[in-house]
Amino acid sequence: MTKFKTYPVSLTKALVILMIISSAIVVLSLNSYLDRAVKQIYSDMNEHLLKNDGERVAQQIGKYLNQPQASAKLMALLSAGESAARPAAVAGILQQIIDLDFNKGQPLSKLSFATANGSYTALERDPQDGTFKTIHASLQSNQAVLKQLWFVHARETSLPFWTEHTHRHTAEQGMAMTWRQPVRDRAGNFLGVLSAEIQPEEMSGWLQSLDTNNSHRLMLLNEKGRLIAAASPLSADEIQNAGQHLPSPGLADSLLRPAVDHNLMLSKAISDADGKLKWTLVMLTPDNQWQASIHRYHQHNFIGLTIVITLALLVITFLMVRFSRPLVSLINRVHLLGTPLWKPAARGTMFPEVANLASALDKKSRLIMDMLDARQKEIEHDKETGLMTFTGLCNHPELYRGRNMIALLHLSNHSSLTNLLGKEYGTALLAHLQSMLKTLLPADTIYCRERNDKILMIFPKVLDSEQAAFLHQQLETLFMSRQSVSKGCHELLIAGNVGIVEEPLTEERLKALVLNAGIALHHARTEGNGVVTRFAPEMHEVGLRNVELHEELSHALERDEFHLVMQPIVSLAGEGECLEGECLVRWNSPTLGFVPPDRFIALAEQTGLIIPLGYWIIETACRELADFIARGAPDNFKLHINISPLQLQQDDFAEGLLGCLERHNLQGKNICIELTEGVLLDDSTSVLPQLNTLRSAGVTVSLDDFGSGYSSLSYLHSLPFDQLKIDRQFVSDILEDRRSESVIASVLSLANSFKVPLVAEGIENQETGEKLRRMGCVLAQGYHYGRPQPFKNWTVKLGVFNLTLI
């Protein structure tokens, strides 16, 4: 579909254009209406004038046609006292008749009188000057007259009649017409025939003179529709059309109708007094009769309307501009609403409606500015502490002026203490921290509450490394200080960590520096409470590797990238027979290659991925153990599985493990779960019921890495365990370090007192194994006895797993 390009138009222009278009439509419509009205008026006038003119012309023609009868009576009276045979006397009488009855303008071409003995005298009009000349016929002509049919007919009747002379016929003018009137005296004696001849040429000229206004076209037709005379030349189609619409005898003596190429045509019947002559007068009104007047009136009307509308447009445009100018000004400035650039408009030239709108916008602008100011304060300043937010920090005018060191402080005990003691305590703790910071740090340090329990500090320009070391020391002093403030019955103690970044601050690098400070803070938290760490680029690289490791780890289970291996646990007193082994998980990533367990296990615990991974390890270990026993391993073979603290804290852990044993036809004695002692200390109330459920089903519990954490005799008596595994760091130094030997001896004594076996990990040579055997250690594990391998690689036969046979 074609898209038309649009152009923006101002409100004033749009209104003016709309008014011009509307006015043009009004002018054209009104002009068209008036034009039709004028034409109708002129048409009615034309019809009325045509009827009047037709009646007038018809009367004159009728009067003319009746004059020969009066002339015949006068001829009879004048001839009674004269000798009818005297031509001179007849000529005088005819001249007298012409002078009395026929005006010069009437279409009479010849007036003649033929006496009873055939004497013929005529007065004929001269076509040049219009005068009549006398004509006397000879004796021979007298005899010819007596033989004329019209003369014979006149002697036999006393009634007038008309004759047509074919020898005068022309295609354009029709036939010559002669009126014959027999003349008799009072006694009825025949005196002669009075004849009045009419030629079409003269009749046409007379008709033209009758149209005094030259506004019509006149023609005379006989009863057959043939043309007798016309005031102007006519076409054959006009004559034929007129002849087809003659008035019907007895129905109407006139007919008014539209005509081809004319507005109107009037057909009116004309006859003499005796009804002998049946002619029709046809009057045509041409199209252009009133055309000039109509056109002139139309021009005057159009010009007048245009002037009136133009003046009205100018007035309306002036008012519109005056109205719209303030409105357009408001529209053009509306994008400034609610900003300091908005200025109230002058209301002196405004219409009340626009002034009200401007006033409303002024109020809205002030309201918006007040709301924005309040909102800006909320956004840029923390209500609880009064410190700037990060948004407020970005807008601080002194932020980038030579500053080159920032620190991010995490108040680690804020969240827990607030939850335990209430929000007021948390607010008081933050206030105490602010007071300490202002005491220890430079006066023009900028503070920002970056998170709920994090404070971002922007130090003034650090000139050298000594000044940087001083600030580092001051931050460490913050956590080492024993000064405390009481809040109710509790003390406000500051605990947390700090990450520092030393780099010039720029607008482009601000967020990156804060991110690096967060990375340094994370490293400080891993090292313990109260640690202040300076950011190093390798920290970011480690973080990126952890991110990549986390992304790959989240998909490793779906891609089946993990597999299990087993490392045997042997009896130091036996002959290589093995009844126990530890299950270990390995990860070969197509992207990262082989990933050591200490890297991905710790990350899985941090991210919570250890939960699905732990379920997979238990399910796969049980399946592998069942296959291992089915291949020939001892029925009582015990597989050690390391359990994460997060796994053990799941409510359905014990139920899930026992269900897995049942699915693979294993017994509780076939599984030993290895836990670190720290798990029991952190949440012993929630894990003890789980451990008791498992131990009642025959599952044994081994305390792994014993001696490396929080071991003490005060809690061992309350913990359910069936085995101790001493940390490998003591085993590796037993041959060189007497303190390690003492620790192992103490742990052996402790295990004997609890009547549980001790497993020594990390034995890599025969000497270490012999040393531990002599000291009383029962079980051993290490590369010296066997490296971890997939279950299928270990050889078992007839219920025996003996490492000496491999």
Side-chain angles (χ1 to χ4, degrees), residues 179-474:
W179 183 84
R180 313 286 184 176
Q181 174 67 53
V183 179
R184 297 179 184 274
D185 59 12
R186 295 179 179 179
N189 297 318
F190 178 70
L191 299 179
V193 180
L194 180 66
S195 300
E197 183 175 316
I198 303 172
Q199 291 190 11
E201 294 87 347
E202 297 180 359
M203 190 67 174
S204 297
W206 183 63
L207 288 177
Q208 187 174 2
S209 66
L210 293 180
D211 185 14
T212 56
N213 296 324
N214 294 321
S215 57
H216 308 296
R217 302 183 68 182
L218 307 179
M219 71 179 79
L220 284 173
L221 303 177
N222 62 12
E223 65 272 13
K224 296 180 180 179
R226 300 181 65 179
L227 181 66
I228 297 174
S232 59
L234 299 171
S235 65
D237 291 339
E238 290 177 322
I239 297 172
Q240 183 181 3
N241 185 43
Q244 291 176 352
H245 298 85
L246 301 179
S248 299
L251 296 178
D253 63 348
S254 63
L255 180 64
L256 185 66
R257 66 176 186 83
V260 179
D261 297 331
H262 297 274
N263 285 339
L264 290 172
M265 182 179 75
L266 178 68
S267 300
K268 186 171 182 61
I270 296 177
S271 180
D272 56 358
D274 296 329
K276 300 295 184 179
L277 189 65
K278 295 181 176 58
W279 286 358
T280 299
L281 171 65
V282 178
M283 299 182 68
L284 296 173
T285 58
D287 287 337
N288 60 355
Q289 177 183 2
W290 306 103
Q291 196 67 29
S293 299
I294 293 175
H295 181 69
R296 188 164 51 254
Y297 179 84
H298 179 74
Q299 284 184 331
H300 293 166
N301 181 46
F302 183 77
I303 293 172
L305 282 175
T306 303
I307 292 173
V308 171
I309 294 296
T310 301
L311 292 175
L313 275 176
L314 291 175
V315 173
I316 295 174
T317 302
F318 172 76
L319 296 176
M320 190 68 67
V321 170
R322 186 182 174 190
F323 172 80
S324 63
R325 184 177 297 160
L327 182 62
V328 170
S329 177
L330 290 175
I331 293 173
N332 291 335
R333 295 188 305 114
V334 75
H335 65 281
L336 302 175
L337 194 67
T339 68
L341 297 177
W342 177 270
K343 302 297 181 184
R347 288 162 173 72
T349 60
M350 291 185 183
F351 285 93
E353 295 81 1
V354 182
N356 291 337
L357 175 61
S359 178
L361 290 176
D362 291 341
K363 293 179 181 178
K364 293 298 181 184
S365 181
R366 289 192 296 270
L367 178 61
I368 292 173
M369 289 184 64
D370 293 341
M371 293 175 63
L372 289 177
D373 289 342
R375 180 59 179 163
Q376 191 69 17
K377 290 179 181 178
E378 292 181 3
I379 294 174
E380 294 187 352
H381 291 84
D382 179 59
K383 285 184 177 181
E384 186 177 5
T385 63
L387 298 177
M388 288 182 294
T389 62
F390 188 75
T391 301
L393 176 69
C394 294
N395 297 328
H396 196 284
E398 302 291 332
L399 182 60
Y400 304 111
R401 295 188 178 180
R403 300 179 183 268
N404 57 356
M405 181 174 175
I406 69 171
L408 183 62
L409 182 149
H410 174 239
L411 191 60
S412 58
N413 60 341
H414 174 265
S415 177
S416 59
L417 292 178
T418 299
N419 293 335
L420 289 172
L421 303 179
K423 187 176 180 180
E424 291 183 0
Y425 185 88
T427 303
L429 183 61
L430 286 172
H432 176 54
L433 174 61
Q434 288 179 250
S435 176
M436 293 289 293
L437 289 173
K438 291 179 180 180
T439 301
L440 296 172
L441 300 179
D444 52 351
T445 301
I446 300 175
Y447 299 95
C448 163
R449 190 176 186 183
E450 198 265 344
R451 291 286 188 274
N452 219 27
D453 52 2
K454 291 181 180 179
I455 303 296
L456 182 64
M457 295 159 282
I458 314 295
F459 299 107
K461 185 175 182 179
V462 178
L463 299 177
D464 49 35
S465 57
E466 292 183 3
Q467 189 175 358
F470 172 76
L471 293 174
H472 190 282
Q473 184 180 1
Q474 291 294 92

Side-chain angles (χ1 to χ4, degrees), residues 608-756:
L609 291 174
I610 193 65
I611 302 299
L613 179 59
Y615 281 125
W616 179 86
I617 291 174
I618 291 173
E619 184 71 28
T620 306
C622 290
R623 185 177 67 250
E624 293 276 12
L625 178 60
D627 293 342
F628 189 56
I629 295 174
R631 284 198 299 117
D635 292 341
N636 61 343
F637 188 86
K638 183 181 295 185
L639 185 63
H640 292 234
I641 302 175
N642 290 281
I643 302 299
S644 166
L646 292 177
Q647 287 179 265
L648 197 59
Q649 291 172 8
Q650 304 301 309
D651 295 338
D652 60 346
F653 173 76
E655 181 181 355
L657 177 57
L658 296 177
C660 188
L661 292 175
E662 184 178 357
R663 284 194 301 274
H664 295 285
N665 297 318
L666 297 176
Q667 299 178 7
K669 65 181 181 179
N670 294 121
I671 296 296
C672 174
I673 60 173
E674 293 192 4
L675 309 172
T676 60
E677 53 186 324
V679 173
L680 304 177
L681 291 175
D682 290 340
D683 196 6
S684 59
T685 56
S686 64
V687 301
L688 285 177
Q690 302 262 31
L691 295 178
N692 291 330
T693 300
L694 292 174
R695 294 185 75 221
S696 64
V699 177
T700 56
V701 177
S702 175
L703 293 183
D704 195 11
D705 297 332
F706 189 78
S708 62
Y710 305 93
S711 303
S712 71
L713 297 176
S714 61
Y715 75 87
L716 284 178
H717 72 278
S718 62
L719 294 179
F721 64 94
D722 303 288
Q723 189 183 76
L724 292 177
K725 293 186 74 173
I726 193 167
D727 189 81
R728 66 179 62 243
Q729 66 178 351
F730 299 113
V731 175
S732 61
D733 296 336
I734 191 173
L735 298 179
E736 292 83 13
D737 190 353
R738 296 185 60 84
R739 287 181 296 181
S740 295
E741 183 179 352
S742 301
V743 171
I744 292 176
S746 300
V747 174
L748 280 170
S749 176
L750 187 63
N752 290 332
S753 64
F754 277 97
K755 297 182 181 181
V756 296

Side-chain angles (χ1 to χ4, degrees), residues 58-68 103 106 271:
Q59 289 178 358
Q60 292 185 13
I61 294 175
K63 181 179 178 181
Y64 165 72
L65 294 178
N66 291 325
Q67 282 180 345
N103 297 324
Q106 291 180 336
S271 180

